[in-house]
């Protein structure tokens, strides 16, 4: 993501060729092919130009934060107050499910902070299942999230979209340009995938490729650009939320089945009207600042906490080896990191570690009972 200061050009007359200007060409006549010249020099009316005078790399695009700002531990009471306000909004949005709201909050502050071989550390894709299949609910969830974050995109995962749309960028050699794809998203974009619209049917070759590409972005945070003769993988940092009726066919880092009452499903209009009445502009700015700082937090683990976590893991495995697998431990470490950031902590505490364990145990029990 970059900030550009320059001159924007959309005047077709600026794209005329040397021959149109009656100027000598640098190429012999037999080498001048009109199609090739037009491909290399499309008019600005089709492809506008930006003549760059200055280029700055941006660490984020939140206008409420300074560039290169690193999060620090602010006033604990103030951070917890804002956290509670945001948690209340998310809980209402998720039809009164407090556990799902806690996981959603952790999801919103997640991002890739390091890559170890093919593993993207820090990602936390989330699947919320048991969502109402009403289109109104999905759109309102997206509306809430898009009001909280700076970059978001809603992707409807219908059979028609899978078969007709292009998720992966494709090189067009005839036009000599790269055609964009739906998943060509800049870092820390929140992608909300609506799987409730997916119906039974047949995926064609394009649909299968789109599903594979989406799965790779979720699992590996990479997108394979299609250059026809070969594919080139590019790293991504897309924060993916999948909303589904049953458990998603896409493999996410965390699956949370919604636990709601029938009454909340029957008053969606009233529920979301209340949410948007509660979210004043001043409160939205506080929540946006809070999320921006949390996502930029410089997290580390003290040697004392490392020792405590290691001892706890060893003891848990000694008591019951099946109680915590290596994957469970990795998920717990990720959740602890994200929980710490939501509390404005740059280093985890014993209380946050215990809370992460309680959340994981509660989620396992819920999945066991409902799935």
């Amino acid at each position: 993501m970059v900030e550009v200061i320059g001159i924007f050009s959309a005047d077709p007359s600026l794209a005329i060729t040397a021959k149109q200007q009656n100027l000598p060409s640098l190429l012999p006549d037999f080498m001048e092919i009109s199609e090739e010249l037009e491909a290399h020099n499309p008019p600005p009316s089709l492809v506008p130009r930006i003549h760059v005078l200055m280029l700055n790399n941006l660490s984020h695009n939140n206008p409420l934060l300074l560039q290169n700002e690193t999060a620090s531990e602010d006033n604990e009471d103030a951070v917890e107050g804002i956290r509670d306000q945001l948690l209340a909004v998310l809980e209402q949005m998720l039809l009164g499910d407090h556990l799902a709201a806690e996981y959603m909050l952790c999801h919103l502050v997640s991002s890739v902070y390091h890559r170890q071989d093919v593993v993207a550390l820090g990602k936390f894709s989330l699947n919320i299942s048991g969502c109402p299949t009403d289109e109104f609910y999905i759109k309102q969830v997206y509306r809430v999230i898009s009001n909280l974050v700076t970059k978001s995109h809603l992707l409807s995962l219908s059979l028609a979209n899978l078969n007709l749309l292009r998720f992966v960028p494709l090189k067009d050699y005839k036009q000599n340009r790269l055609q964009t794809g739906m998943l060509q998203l800049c870092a820390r974009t929140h992608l909300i995938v609506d799987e409730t619209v997916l119906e039974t049917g047949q995926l064609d070759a394009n649909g299968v490729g789109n599903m594979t590409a989406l799965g790779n972005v979720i699992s590996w945070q990479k997108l394979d650009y299609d250059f026809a003769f070969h594919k080139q993988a590019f790293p991504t940092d897309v924060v993916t939320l999948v909303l589904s009726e049953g458990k998603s066919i896409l493999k996410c880092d965390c699956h949370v089945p919604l636990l709601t009452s029938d009454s909340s499903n029957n008053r969606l209009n009233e529920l979301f009207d209340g949410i948007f009445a509660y979210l004043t502009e001043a409160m939205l700015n506080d929540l946006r600042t809070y999320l921006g700082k949390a996502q930029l937090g410089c997290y580390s683990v003290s040697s004392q906490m490392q020792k405590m976590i290691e001892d706890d893991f060893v003891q848990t495995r000694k008591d019951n080896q099946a109680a915590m697998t290596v994957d469970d431990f990795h998920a717990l470490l990720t959740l602890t990191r994200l929980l710490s950031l939501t509390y404005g902590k740059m280093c985890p505490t014993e209380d946050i570690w215990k809370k992460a364990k309680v959340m994981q145990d509660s989620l396992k029990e819920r999945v066991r009972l409902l799935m």
Side-chain angles (χ1 to χ4, degrees):
M1 186 167 51
V2 295
E3 176 186 48
V4 173
I5 299 172
I7 301 167
F8 178 76
S9 172
D11 186 354
S13 65
L14 298 178
I16 58 178
T17 64
K19 184 169 287 188
Q20 290 171 321
Q21 287 182 306
N22 294 320
L23 295 175
S25 173
L26 298 177
L27 295 174
D29 290 340
F30 70 88
M31 291 183 64
E32 288 190 345
I33 303 171
S34 59
E35 288 186 1
E36 186 174 348
L37 289 174
E38 289 175 4
H40 283 85
N41 300 279
S45 55
L46 293 177
V47 182
R49 270 69 159 172
I50 298 179
H51 302 280
V52 179
L53 302 176
M54 184 179 295
L55 185 73
N56 298 320
N57 289 315
L58 300 181
S59 57
H60 63 83
N61 69 331
N62 190 330
L64 301 173
L65 302 178
L66 298 174
Q67 283 301 319
N68 301 318
E69 179 173 344
T70 55
S72 57
E73 295 195 5
D74 297 325
N75 182 276
E76 188 173 324
D77 292 337
V79 171
E80 286 209 27
I82 297 174
R83 186 186 191 277
D84 290 342
Q85 289 176 331
L86 180 53
L87 199 61
V89 170
L90 297 177
E91 187 173 335
Q92 284 290 96
M93 181 185 79
L94 296 171
L95 310 179
D97 191 331
H98 181 78
L99 181 63
E102 286 278 9
Y103 275 99
M104 178 67 78
L105 179 54
C106 291
H107 166 77
L108 290 176
V109 303
S110 65
S111 65
V112 176
Y113 66 90
H114 182 67
R115 293 180 188 271
Q116 185 70 41
D117 297 326
V118 297
V119 179
L121 301 177
K123 72 181 183 71
F124 191 65
S125 54
L126 179 63
N127 170 216
I128 301 287
S129 66
C131 296
T133 55
D134 189 344
E135 184 183 9
F136 173 80
Y137 177 75
I138 303 298
K139 287 187 174 180
Q140 292 305 305
V141 168
Y142 176 69
R143 184 183 168 197
V144 173
I145 294 175
S146 64
N147 271 281
L148 296 172
V149 301
T150 56
K151 293 167 291 186
S152 60
H153 179 68
L154 177 62
L155 177 59
S156 179
L157 208 66
S158 65
L159 194 66
N161 283 348
L162 283 168
N163 286 335
L164 296 176
L165 296 179
R166 185 175 60 248
F167 285 13
V168 175
L170 173 67
K171 178 65 182 284
D172 184 340
Y173 286 95
K174 185 175 181 181
Q175 298 294 324
N176 196 32
R177 66 183 59 132
L178 190 67
Q179 297 177 348
T180 59
M182 296 289 291
L183 297 178
Q184 194 176 357
L185 303 168
C186 68
R188 297 195 179 109
T189 297
H190 290 257
L191 177 65
I192 292 84
V193 179
D194 177 13
E195 199 182 292
T196 64
V197 296
L198 186 61
E199 65 275 17
T200 57
Q202 179 121 16
L203 287 176
D204 59 18
N206 185 66
V208 172
N210 284 337
M211 283 297 292
T212 302
L214 182 56
N216 285 338
V217 168
I218 293 173
S219 298
W220 306 109
Q221 285 293 344
K222 69 168 187 172
L223 183 62
D224 293 326
Y225 286 37
D226 188 353
F227 289 91
F229 306 108
H230 73 284
K231 295 183 186 296
Q232 177 66 48
F234 285 85
T236 62
D237 185 5
V238 179
V239 187
T240 309
L241 170 67
V242 181
L243 303 174
S244 59
E245 187 177 4
K247 185 178 180 180
S248 175
I249 59 175
L250 297 162
K251 186 178 180 182
C252 294
D253 297 310
C254 182
H255 168 224
V256 181
L258 273 185
L259 194 62
T260 64
S261 61
D262 292 336
S263 59
S264 59
N265 287 329
N266 295 331
R267 53 184 184 87
L268 293 178
N269 280 306
E270 177 187 342
L271 187 148
F272 281 100
D273 285 344
I275 289 176
F276 291 113
Y278 178 72
L279 289 173
T280 63
E281 192 61 34
M283 180 180 289
L284 275 172
N285 285 337
D286 287 341
L287 299 180
R288 291 162 181 162
T289 302
Y290 162 79
L291 286 173
K293 285 186 174 182
Q295 201 169 45
L296 295 171
C298 298
Y299 178 82
S300 62
V301 183
S302 66
S303 56
Q304 182 180 354
M305 276 302 301
Q306 285 182 10
K307 181 70 166 59
M308 190 277 292
I309 291 172
E310 288 172 7
D311 291 344
D312 192 9
F313 174 68
V314 171
Q315 186 61 46
T316 303
R317 293 273 293 178
K318 187 183 294 184
D319 295 340
N320 181 4
Q321 193 167 357
M324 187 180 293
T325 64
V326 174
D327 288 340
D328 291 336
F329 185 59
H330 175 74
L332 194 55
L333 290 176
T334 300
L335 183 60
T336 301
R337 175 182 179 272
L338 297 174
L339 270 178
S340 300
L341 294 176
T342 67
Y343 280 103
K345 304 286 187 183
M346 300 303 107
C347 182
T349 63
E350 187 174 350
D351 289 340
I352 290 176
W353 172 255
K354 290 179 179 178
K355 178 172 181 174
K357 290 182 67 177
V358 170
M359 285 175 60
Q360 287 287 67
D361 290 342
S362 300
L363 181 58
K364 283 183 179 180
E365 182 63 17
R366 177 183 296 191
V367 170
R368 188 184 68 82
L369 293 174
L370 297 181
M371 302 305 292

